[in-house]
Each structure stands twice: as C-alpha cells, then as structure tokens.
Amino acid sequence: MGPLLSLQPPPERREAIGRAGLGSLLAIAAEGGPPSPIALRTITAIRDHLIRLPIPLESLTPVTPEELAAAVPESEWRQRILRGMTVLALLEDEPGEARLARLEATARALHIDDAPVRAFRHVLDHQFNLVRLDIVRRGFQRGAAAAYLRDEGPAGALQMARALLKREDPALAHRYRALAALPEGSLGRAYLAFIDSNGFSVPGEVGGPPPPVVRHDCCHVLGGYGTTASEECGVLGFQAGFGRNDPFFTILFALAQFQLGIGSTPVTVAETGQADPEVIFRGLEHGLGVSRDLISDWDPWEDFPQPLEEVRRKYGIRPRQTVGADPAP
C-alpha cells in the first residue's frame, strides 16, 4: 500500500501550487516582523525536500488566505499547505496570537479541517494535556497499537497491559532475545543490535517499551536513523511520509517532545529547541518514497528473518544520503 501523501502535484500545477504554498509560509513567518532564521530554514527545507522547485526565496511575496484559496483549489494541497504553515508557526520561539489568527483565517478561506490549527491553539493556551490527546488520537501511536492488537490478538493486549504497568514478561522478552539466533545481516539481528548498542531494553524486560514501539525502532534501523533528539525528529518525519495517519500529528509528536518541551511520551524526557526543520523535512521526503506503512500495515516478525538490505529494497527505502541530493539553489 502506498504512502498517504502524493509525491508531487501534477506537472502542470507544480509551479503554481509551489509558489502559493511558499508565499503562504512566508506570510505566516512575517507576522509581527521579519522572518526569523528558523522560519527561513523551515521554508527552505520545505522547498528543497517537498516542493523541489528552484524558486529563490527572495522572489516570493506573502500570500493572503484569499489568494491562496484562489490559487490552490485542490483539497489535498490546501491541507498540506495549512499543515506546513502550522509546523512553521510551532517552530517559532514565540508562536503568538497573530500567527494563530493567520492560521484560522487560512483554514476558513480554504474550507478544510482545521485540526492542526486547533492543536496550535492548544499549544498557545498551554493546554498541554489536550496537545497530548491530539497526538494520541491522530498520531502514529494509535496505528501502531491497533496493528499490534490485530497481529497478536488477546495475547498482545495482555503484553501491552503488562508493559504499561511496568511488569516483566519473561516469555515476551525471550521471544525478542531469540532474534540473536537469526543470520548475521538480518533485520532481526540489526534490530537487536540497535537496542543493545543504545542501552535500551526489549519488550518484556525491565524498562522495556510496549511491544508496538518495536515498529518505531525498526524504522530507525530500516531508515538509518540514530537516537539523538535531531535524529528522532528525522525518523518521525520519515514515519510521517509513509504513514496513513495524519502526518501533521506525527510531526507534532516530534515538536512536542523535542522543540516545545511538552512531552509526548513517558519514555524520554522532553526537550526544547532541538528540532531541525531540515532534518524533519528530509526525513519526510525519505518516507514519501516508501511503499508500505511500516507502522500501521506491517508486522516486523514477517521480515525479521530476512536480510536487512532485502527488506529495504522490498519497501523502496533509499539510503539516506540519496535523499534531497539535488536541492534547489
């Protein structure tokens, strides 16, 4: 099954949609003064990794919500532009009421779901429990949990309950540790090496995660992502690219955990100012080329015995160094 997002608009619409989208990003970046450095980096990253047209930023002018609505009638691209605008606003040091007003006006003019704007309002109002609820309801964790229950049945529900109660599950831990018997170079051995090299635990061990988190850890392995805050943002961008859940809320998970200091998971301590838009949108571009949803539509046990490189080829996962190899000037 293909990714949620289309790679590009139709060729005859790329230039118009690209300029309208970048102009809308510039408009929200310029609310209250000149665009900040991180806003310009965000616009550049979206241009280079998603729009992929050689449009100089100095050639852009801010686009009003009404101008955007006239230039982009397609609902898919309206939604993507609004989400990009919201991500940019969340990356700012001071999101501000003016940016919220611009986002609300844009959603009204485009006549589309304003869920990202509501999430931004929750951040602005310091309603952090509502932000966490937005992420759980719409982000990748829900898809991962549902997929695990689908694949494992009632036993999977018990395993997840034990993990949430921080109880050991020796049988489950043994199942994961038995991956060490797989051939060298297999996905299963690579997953276990990733866990051990980072000082993590497998599900069922003390401190181990709920089993659905294994899918996220496999994305680290398959995509070639490390575990620093920046790399976590990259792998979440990767997941946003191939996932069937709303990609905005997967990126919001990254921003809440590593940029806003809200905390979107009990597993790691929340941080501030660690998100790099270049890494996020390079990861998103990377995930757009993947042919299967590796969170909601995949059971890693099917592929654990297979060679890692073969699994990457099967799902169209390119080496990271080839992603965005020819960015716009």
Side-chain angles (χ1 to χ4, degrees), residues 76-125:
E76 175 187 0
W77 300 100
R78 287 182 170 192
Q79 292 179 34
R80 288 177 65 171
I81 291 168
L82 180 65
R83 281 153 173 74
M85 293 171 67
T86 309
V87 168
L88 186 151
L90 286 166
L91 281 163
E92 293 280 9
D93 291 336
E94 296 184 11
E97 292 288 343
R99 291 191 172 91
L100 173 60
R102 168 74 67 161
L103 290 172
E104 290 176 333
T106 301
R108 287 195 301 270
L110 298 182
H111 302 290
I112 57 175
D113 180 14
D114 68 345
V117 184
R118 294 197 304 272
F120 181 82
R121 187 185 303 115
H122 294 155
V123 172
L124 206 61
D125 292 343

Side-chain angles (χ1 to χ4, degrees), residues 6-39:
S6 303
L7 287 172
Q8 294 290 343
E12 67 276 10
R13 295 285 296 135
R14 280 187 70 194
E15 180 85 15
I17 291 174
R19 285 193 172 276
L22 291 173
S24 297
L25 291 169
L26 181 62
I28 199 162
E31 285 286 354
S36 67
I38 196 166

